[in-house]
Amino acid sequence: DVKVTQSSRYLVKRTGEKVFLECVQDMDHENMFWYRQDPGLGLRLIYFSYDVKMKEKGDIPEGYSVSREKKERFSLILESASTNQTSMYLCASSLDGGVGDTQYFGPGTRLTVL
Amino acid sequence: KQEVTQIPAALSVPEGENLVLNCSFTDSAIYNLQWFRQDPGKGLTSLLLIQSSQREQTSGRLNASLDKSSGRSTLYIAASQPGDSATYLCAVTNTGNQFYFGTGTSLTVIP
């Protein structure tokens, strides 16, 4: 079974802090994704990566950056956290973007910025 | 930009009933469509994936259909059980990399 893990289930940070969210997958998947999920807005893609050191912006990249130094690990960075970044953050991975490829999700990190 | 809509937003049914969840999308040039289940405070679990060349997929009591030309998909759940209570989301991709999600249907199955 594919396993996607996220470093924290719950996180509370203060405005202006630098925040790191870590995601690790154990199935040698090429693609990794970061989403945020907000009531009434659904899941929105922040960034995705299709290979080590490669990244592509999603629909809402502003205020975020990412890092993929190793294939199994994809990090989301909030350079200076703001209250409007309070949200549920979900990481996902998929094999290689083929037509029959599904996404596997981690359990999510609920981030609160005070 | 692809937009995905799910109706209804919430649904309550008595145990044992058959039910249908709806998903519509604006750009019919999709690569695939997936249905996911999300339990409160948890991540998403993939239920069914329909490739663009397929019309339906089945897994146990679940059946998903796809009509690309009309931009619609349905998820049929037979003989619903309280354990089916969750939020169901559909997602489409045009490229295999960028996925667009609906806001989900929250299902409650009443014992």
Side-chain angles (χ1 to χ4, degrees), chain A residues 21-75:
Chain A
L21 302 182
E22 301 281 335
C23 175
V24 177
Q25 50 93 6
D26 66 357
M27 283 301 290
D28 203 34
H29 282 179
E30 301 288 336
N31 296 344
M32 296 188 75
F33 308 81
W34 275 107
Y35 295 91
R36 64 177 281 177
Q37 185 177 29
D38 300 288
L41 297 177
L43 273 81
R44 293 177 292 167
L45 182 66
I46 304 171
Y47 269 98
F48 71 94
S49 167
Y50 52 89
D51 201 352
V52 175
K53 297 192 186 293
M54 306 302 290
K55 61 185 179 185
E56 291 285 343
K57 292 180 181 179
D59 294 317
I60 52 164
E62 297 78 18
Y64 303 94
S65 62
V66 290
S67 171
R68 193 161 180 208
E69 296 296 318
K70 292 185 177 181
K71 193 174 187 180
E72 68 270 18
R73 188 180 298 269
F74 192 34
S75 302

Side-chain angles (χ1 to χ4, degrees), chain B residues 6 21 23 33-36 46-48 64 73-75 89-90:
Chain B
Q6 291 187 247
L21 307 180
C23 172
L33 180 145
Q34 297 183 54
W35 283 94
F36 292 88
S46 179
L47 297 172
L48 290 165
S73 175
T74 61
L75 179 66
L89 298 106
C90 72

Side-chain angles (χ1 to χ4, degrees), chain A residues 9 31 33 37 97 99 101-102, chain B residues 31-32 34 38 41 46 97:
Chain A
R9 291 300 310 276
N31 296 344
F33 308 81
Q37 185 177 29
V99 69
D101 205 11
T102 191
Chain B
Y31 200 54
N32 67 41
Q34 297 183 54
Q38 186 176 31
S46 179
N97 288 323

Side-chain angles (χ1 to χ4, degrees), chain B residues 33-70:
Chain B
L33 180 145
Q34 297 183 54
W35 283 94
F36 292 88
R37 169 187 173 135
Q38 186 176 31
D39 293 291
K42 303 283 181 67
L44 280 68
T45 301
S46 179
L47 297 172
L48 290 165
L49 181 150
I50 310 177
Q51 298 179 27
S52 58
S53 59
Q54 298 173 329
R55 296 280 298 189
E56 65 178 342
Q57 285 287 335
T58 299
S59 176
R61 294 182 294 108
L62 305 180
N63 175 274
S65 68
L66 173 64
D67 183 345
K68 254 182 43 170
S69 60
S70 68

